[in-house]
């Protein structure tokens, strides 16, 4: 503790300019230098940096979360000369979703399992790491991989939200823990955190995930210095037999049907990703999540909008008080979260300057909302949709009845993976375009009319691991086709300006710059730069494995760099992939004239289609239902899917499947995140799973 205190004191001394005239400035990368650099980051710094953007001090670059860099040293004319300066091994094998923060050449980035790395950009040298020691056997408590989207930086401290629900403050110079708070203490259900914290007005803001498991969403603010909780706002109402926390919850309760006992499954609404802040309006904006369970009829049998699911909500950052909301998906029935990137912009609409919020959530529509009052301005679908034909002048969706019916299998377009998921979009005020990773992952949905909360029943998707969707998945094979696409969207005209098609869904977030550039990583293992004006491809480099995170750019010692953290994963990346290469999570840093060599890329080691495991054909059907309830979202369909950052069991060595009991019960993979099925799967269940796995491989084997 003495060394931390000393470093802070030295930082304060340096910042105050009180060093003797003959003293030398701290060496770049030294603890003293790191402390000085980090100590200057506060609200004023973030606002001033937004004018020139030499640093990247916050997750979305600025409070408006634009991801628009005003740097133009790297531009459309010379981006072809970008080369690698250094690469850094994050020592991870699961998904990497973080955007690096960089201030004065010091980078802070997270890997899977919420591990924080501090890196000297000038050399690529590790300064320190912090591992919160998340219990890896509990990885199944989150739906969508053991990822983390990054940290917050404020007045000499780094804030990371760990997967298991802890919010942790670290000393920026040393990586030592200053304080820790359990953000889910006292709450019921399987909560996790994958999002990056934000700091608004001296308060660390964080939400959580878990709506698939049956939880009640909320947002909490903690004092950045002490960790004391300052306020908490719940997204959906609780048990109506108890007093509501505030007027917003009483108002919301009128839009839920209590006969469904929605509070038993939590209601959902988890705010697991996006926040933005307007200092002039003194409003912070929260993107809220899907319903728990997914099925509207099971959650709220008599209907209702179910506030504040699938909404953008404005809160007072000082008190957490509700100010306004706009609901993008009333009565969510499809896992249509509104947690995707929100961007604040000032646009000329109908000849008037409007303060707006730009949003492209999972439901496939691009929204323009007045951010002063939450009033609907416009919405247009940026990709194919089959749940609504559009929005009326009041901002209500014009729904298609078949999409909400739920009594028979229905290809939801978009499906629960979303037309746009968490992958950040960016907005360039020079071109007037937003750059959006659009996609479709086919999934067929049907209501489970016999669903009961927390009932583990074979055939219910991941019910054995705590999922509560009240939906069957792919009761029939989907007819829609998967795709991935970069869309340059004009939010004023509400139309696509240009687009680029990709080999697969699940491509990375975007960065745009004053150099007329858009950067995006791809699922098939590339980092690409496009002309922001017309989509012409100007440069690309291989990254080994697929990219899901968004890049960042910044200046160090007068030179512009571009960095991206790479590591294939996320919910789609658990069981699917679009490359033949794999590797550890890696940070790549590029600059014009860079000449470093890429690290070696390793080919996926995938065995031949499983063969030779003896099984009872009569157990295949039972094994199918058990596999859906226990395995499918992580391992995919045996032999049909190829595996992502988790292997496909249809391509495992036969010895593994023959000894399946030794792997599902306190097996060696628990150290990498596999659940323990001791007491959950009987010997007969395991034999049935073997029958399904080998039987499926035999069924698809070329004759």
């Amino acid at each position: 503790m003495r060394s931390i205190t000393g470093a802070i004191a030295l930082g304060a001394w340096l910042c105050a300019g009180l060093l003797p005239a003959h003293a030398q400035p701290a060496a770049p990368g030294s603890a003293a230098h790191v402390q000085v650099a980090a100590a200057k980051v506060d609200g004023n710094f973030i606002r001033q940096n937004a004018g020139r953007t030499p640093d990247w001090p916050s997750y979305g670059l600025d409070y408006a979360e634009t991801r628009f860099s005003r740097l133009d040293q790297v531009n459309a004319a010379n981006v072809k000369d970008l080369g690698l300066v250094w690469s850094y091994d994050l020592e991870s094998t699961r998904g990497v979703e973080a955007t690096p923060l960089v201030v004065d050449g010091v980078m802070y980035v997270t890997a899977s399992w919420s591990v924080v790395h501090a890196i000297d950009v000038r050399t690529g040298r590790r300064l320190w790491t912090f591992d919160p020691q998340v219990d890896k056997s509990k990885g199944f408590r989150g739906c969508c991989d053991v990822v983390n989207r990054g940290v917050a930086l404020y007045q000499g401290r780094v804030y990371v939200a760990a997967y298991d629900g802890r919010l942790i403050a670290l000393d920026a110079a040393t990586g030592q823990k200053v304080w820790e708070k359990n953000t889910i203490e006292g709450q019921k259900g399987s909560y996790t955190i994958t999002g990056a914290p934000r700091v608004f007005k001296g308060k660390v803001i964080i939400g959580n995930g878990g709506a698939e498991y049956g939880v009640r969403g909320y947002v909490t603010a903690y004092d950045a210095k002490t960790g004391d909780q300052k306020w908490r706002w719940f997204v959906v109402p609780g048990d109506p037999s108890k007093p509501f926390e505030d007027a917003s919850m009483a108002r919301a309760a009128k839009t839920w049907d209590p006969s469904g006992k929605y509070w038993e499954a939590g209601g959902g609404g988890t705010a697991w990703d996006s926040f933005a802040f307007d200092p002039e309006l003194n409003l912070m904006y929260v993107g809220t999540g899907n319903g728990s369970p997914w099925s509207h009829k099971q959650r709220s049998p008599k209907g209702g909008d179910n506030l504040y699911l699938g909404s953008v909500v404005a809160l007072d950052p000082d008190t957490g008080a509700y100010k306004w909301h706009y609901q993008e998906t009333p009565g969510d029935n499809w896992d249509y979260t509104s947690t995707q990137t929100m961007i604040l912009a000032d646009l000329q609409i109908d000849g008037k300057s409007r303060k707006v919020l730009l949003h492209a959530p999972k439901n496939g529509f691009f929204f323009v909302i007045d951010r002063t009052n939450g009033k609907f301005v416009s919405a247009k679908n940026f990709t194919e949709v089959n749940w609504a034909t559009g929005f009326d002048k009041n901002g209500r969706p014009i729904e298609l009845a078949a999409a909400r019916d739920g009594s028979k299998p229905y290809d939801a377009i978009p499906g629960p993976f979303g037309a746009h998921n968490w992958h950040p979009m960016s907005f360039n005020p020079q071109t007037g375009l937003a750059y959006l990773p659009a996609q479709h992952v086919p999934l067929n949905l049907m209501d489970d009319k016999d669903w009961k909360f927390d009932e583990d029943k074979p055939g219910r998707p991941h019910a054995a691991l705590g999922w509560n969707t009240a939906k069957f998945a792919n009761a029939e094979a989907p007819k829609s086709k998967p795709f991935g696409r970069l869309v340059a969207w004009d939010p004023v005209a509400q139309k696509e300006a240009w687009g680029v098609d990709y080999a697969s869904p699940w491509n990375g977030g975007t960065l745009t710059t004053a150099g007329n550039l858009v950067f995006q990583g791809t699922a098939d293992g590339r980092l690409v730069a496009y002309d922001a004006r017309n989509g012409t491809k100007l440069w690309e480099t291989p990254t080994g494995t697929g990219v899901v995170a968004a890049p960042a750019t910044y200046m160090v010692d007068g030179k512009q760099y571009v960095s991206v953290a790479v590591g294939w994963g996320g919910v789609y990346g658990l069981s699917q992939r679009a490359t033949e290469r794999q590797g550890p999570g890696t940070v790549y840093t590029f600059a014009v004239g860079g000449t470093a060599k890429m690290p070696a890329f390793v080919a996926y080691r995938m065995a031949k289609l499983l063969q030779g495991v003896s099984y009872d054909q009569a157990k295949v059907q039972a094994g199918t239902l058990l596999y859906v309830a226990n395995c499918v979202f992580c391992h995919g369909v045996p032999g049909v899917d190829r595996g992502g950052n988790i292997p496909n069991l249809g391509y495992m060595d036969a010895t593994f499947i023959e000894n399946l009991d030794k792997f599902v019960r306190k097996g060696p993979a628990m150290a990498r995140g596999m659940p323990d099925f001791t007491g959950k799967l009987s010997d007969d269940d395991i034999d049935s799973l073997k029958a399904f796995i080998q039987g499926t491989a035999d069924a698809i084997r070329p004759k």
Side-chain angles (χ1 to χ4, degrees):
M1 193 67 188
R2 184 177 299 170
S3 62
I4 299 175
T5 304
I8 294 172
L10 177 59
W13 197 19
L14 288 166
C15 287
L18 298 178
L19 281 177
H22 62 274
Q24 296 297 315
S30 66
H33 165 254
V34 175
Q35 186 60 50
V36 171
K40 64 186 179 184
V41 179
D42 59 12
N44 287 331
F45 180 89
I46 291 172
R47 288 193 293 272
Q48 291 170 7
N49 184 75
R52 296 184 300 110
T53 62
D55 294 302
W56 194 288
S58 185
Y59 178 68
L61 176 58
D62 47 37
Y63 281 141
E65 302 265 324
T66 63
R67 294 178 181 266
F68 168 66
S69 171
R70 299 182 183 277
L71 302 179
D72 61 3
Q73 189 182 92
V74 179
N75 53 57
N78 66 7
V79 69
K80 66 182 185 302
D81 299 321
L82 272 189
L84 185 68
V85 178
W86 51 260
S87 61
Y88 175 93
D89 186 353
L90 289 168
E91 300 174 351
S92 60
T93 59
R94 301 287 291 270
V96 175
E97 298 186 352
T99 301
L101 303 193
V102 182
V103 175
D104 195 14
V106 183
M107 175 182 291
Y108 304 92
V109 64
T110 54
S112 48
W113 298 109
S114 321
V115 177
V116 186
H117 296 253
I119 307 167
D120 182 352
V121 170
R122 294 171 173 87
T123 62
R125 176 177 64 92
R126 175 177 298 184
L127 298 175
W128 52 259
T129 62
F130 173 80
D131 185 346
Q133 298 293 321
V134 173
D135 182 351
K136 293 181 172 56
S137 70
K138 301 298 192 297
F140 70 92
R141 290 187 174 177
C143 68
C144 305
D145 205 357
V146 290
V147 293
N148 186 278
R149 289 182 204 97
V151 301
L153 189 62
Y154 188 78
Q155 293 185 345
R157 291 180 181 173
V158 176
Y159 300 90
V160 63
Y163 182 77
D164 56 16
R166 290 173 290 151
L167 180 64
I168 304 168
L170 307 174
D171 182 271
T174 65
Q176 295 185 41
K177 187 188 301 184
V178 179
W179 55 254
E180 174 181 300
K181 297 293 176 180
N182 183 351
T183 72
I184 62 177
E185 187 174 15
Q187 305 301 312
K188 295 190 302 181
S190 188
Y191 286 93
T192 53
I193 301 180
T194 57
R198 313 296 201 278
V199 182
F200 303 146
K201 303 184 74 174
K203 299 176 186 66
V204 189
I205 312 295
I206 194 65
N208 45 57
E212 276 63 53
Y213 295 81
V215 303
R216 184 187 183 197
Y218 55 87
V219 179
T220 316
Y222 296 87
D223 186 280
K225 291 183 179 179
T226 65
D228 294 338
Q229 182 175 319
K230 306 306 289 184
W231 55 257
R232 173 169 289 171
W233 182 77
F234 285 93
V235 177
V236 298
D239 185 342
S241 69
K242 300 175 182 178
F244 293 116
E245 289 83 1
D246 57 30
S248 71
M249 290 298 98
R251 187 181 308 117
K254 296 176 182 178
T255 69
W256 294 72
D257 175 15
S259 72
K261 296 184 178 180
Y262 58 83
W263 56 93
E264 292 183 354
T270 48
W272 52 264
D273 192 24
S274 190
F275 303 100
F277 175 47
D278 187 328
E280 293 182 2
L281 297 174
N282 196 37
L283 291 176
M284 59 168 281
Y285 306 94
V286 179
T288 70
N290 56 287
S292 178
W294 291 0
S295 170
H296 188 216
K297 290 180 180 177
Q298 289 286 8
R299 189 177 67 240
S300 192
K302 295 179 183 177
D305 286 352
N306 293 178
L307 293 173
Y308 298 94
L309 299 179
S311 299
V312 174
V313 181
L315 302 178
D316 183 326
D318 297 313
T319 64
Y322 163 93
K323 292 298 182 181
W324 59 253
H325 78 277
Y326 171 70
Q327 190 172 41
E328 295 167 331
T329 310
D332 170 47
N333 192 47
W334 308 273
D335 185 25
Y336 285 166
T337 68
S338 288
T339 54
Q340 288 62 46
T341 317
M342 297 177 290
I343 294 176
L344 312 185
D346 294 349
L347 299 181
Q348 288 289 323
I349 299 176
D350 295 331
K352 297 180 180 179
S353 179
R354 299 285 298 272
K355 292 182 180 296
V356 299
L357 182 148
L358 309 179
H359 203 211
K362 271 191 183 181
N363 72 16
F365 286 85
F366 193 104
F367 293 88
V368 180
I369 304 164
D370 188 316
R371 72 174 185 268
T372 69
N373 54 24
K375 299 298 183 183
F376 173 81
V377 176
S378 64
K380 182 73 174 178
N381 56 301
F382 57 86
T383 187
E384 182 183 356
V385 301
N386 71 355
W387 72 278
T389 59
F391 280 69
D392 66 22
K393 63 180 182 180
N394 297 315
R396 296 284 302 188
I398 305 166
E399 288 193 13
L400 296 168
R404 192 173 286 278
D405 178 12
S407 63
K408 54 189 176 181
Y410 187 81
D411 264 23
I413 303 176
F417 288 89
H420 172 217
N421 207 289
W422 64 268
H423 314 81
M425 74 174 180
S426 57
F427 175 72
N428 189 321
Q430 295 178 171
T431 63
L433 301 177
Y435 303 98
L436 164 65
Q439 63 177 21
H440 178 59
V441 178
L443 198 66
N444 186 284
L445 297 175
M446 182 175 70
D447 281 354
D448 179 357
K449 60 184 178 59
D450 298 321
W451 170 83
K452 294 180 181 178
F453 180 59
D454 264 354
E455 183 179 51
D456 176 7
K457 188 175 181 180
R460 288 180 176 155
H462 270 220
L465 299 177
W467 281 52
N468 280 280
T469 64
K471 294 274 188 179
F472 290 115
N474 290 349
E476 290 182 0
K479 298 179 179 63
S480 55
K481 302 299 181 184
F483 69 83
R485 182 171 172 80
L486 171 61
V487 173
W489 190 262
D490 183 336
V492 176
Q494 284 286 24
K495 66 178 183 179
E496 181 178 312
W498 55 261
V500 177
D501 292 324
Y502 287 135
S504 168
W506 216 247
N507 299 284
T510 67
L511 157 71
T512 186
T513 77
N516 285 318
L517 295 173
V518 176
F519 290 91
Q520 185 185 25
T522 67
D524 61 355
R526 298 173 294 142
L527 179 63
V528 188
Y530 301 96
D531 190 308
R533 298 162 292 191
N534 53 37
T536 301
K537 185 169 71 175
L538 302 175
W539 171 84
E540 72 171 48
T541 186
T543 56
T545 189
V547 185
V548 291
T553 188
Y554 48 88
M555 295 284 281
V556 179
D557 300 334
K559 192 176 189 73
Q560 185 180 352
Y561 294 85
V562 177
S563 293
V564 65
V566 175
W568 181 245
V571 62
Y572 180 80
L574 291 173
S575 62
Q576 310 284 343
R577 71 175 193 273
T579 72
E580 298 303 326
R581 298 177 299 275
Q582 65 180 348
T586 304
V587 178
Y588 294 102
T589 293
F590 304 91
V592 170
T595 58
K597 292 184 178 180
M598 280 281 183
F601 301 143
V602 179
Y604 269 95
R605 292 184 300 231
M606 191 164 76
K608 294 180 180 179
L609 191 62
L610 180 68
Q611 190 167 10
V613 177
S614 61
Y615 65 96
D616 182 350
Q617 179 69 39
K619 292 187 174 183
V620 170
Q621 180 59 29
T624 303
L625 299 178
L626 285 165
Y627 193 88
V628 169
N630 291 274
C631 316
V632 68
F633 286 158
C634 294
H635 290 285
V637 180
V640 176
D641 299 318
R642 299 192 307 151
N645 65 25
I646 293 177
N648 183 280
L649 301 181
Y651 293 101
M652 300 294 289
D653 186 273
T655 304
F656 180 96
I657 304 303
E658 288 169 347
N659 294 282
L660 192 60
D661 60 317
K662 296 179 175 61
F663 289 90
V664 300
R665 296 173 181 157
K666 298 190 185 303
M670 284 179 65
R672 300 189 296 275
M674 183 169 174
D676 177 19
F677 292 96
T678 302
K680 297 180 179 180
L681 292 174
S682 67
D683 289 345
D684 188 62
D685 290 339
I686 293 172
D687 286 342
S688 296
L689 286 169
K690 290 181 185 179
F692 169 71
I693 295 165
Q694 182 63 78
T696 303
D698 290 345
I700 66 169
R701 195 182 317 278
K703 302 296 189 285

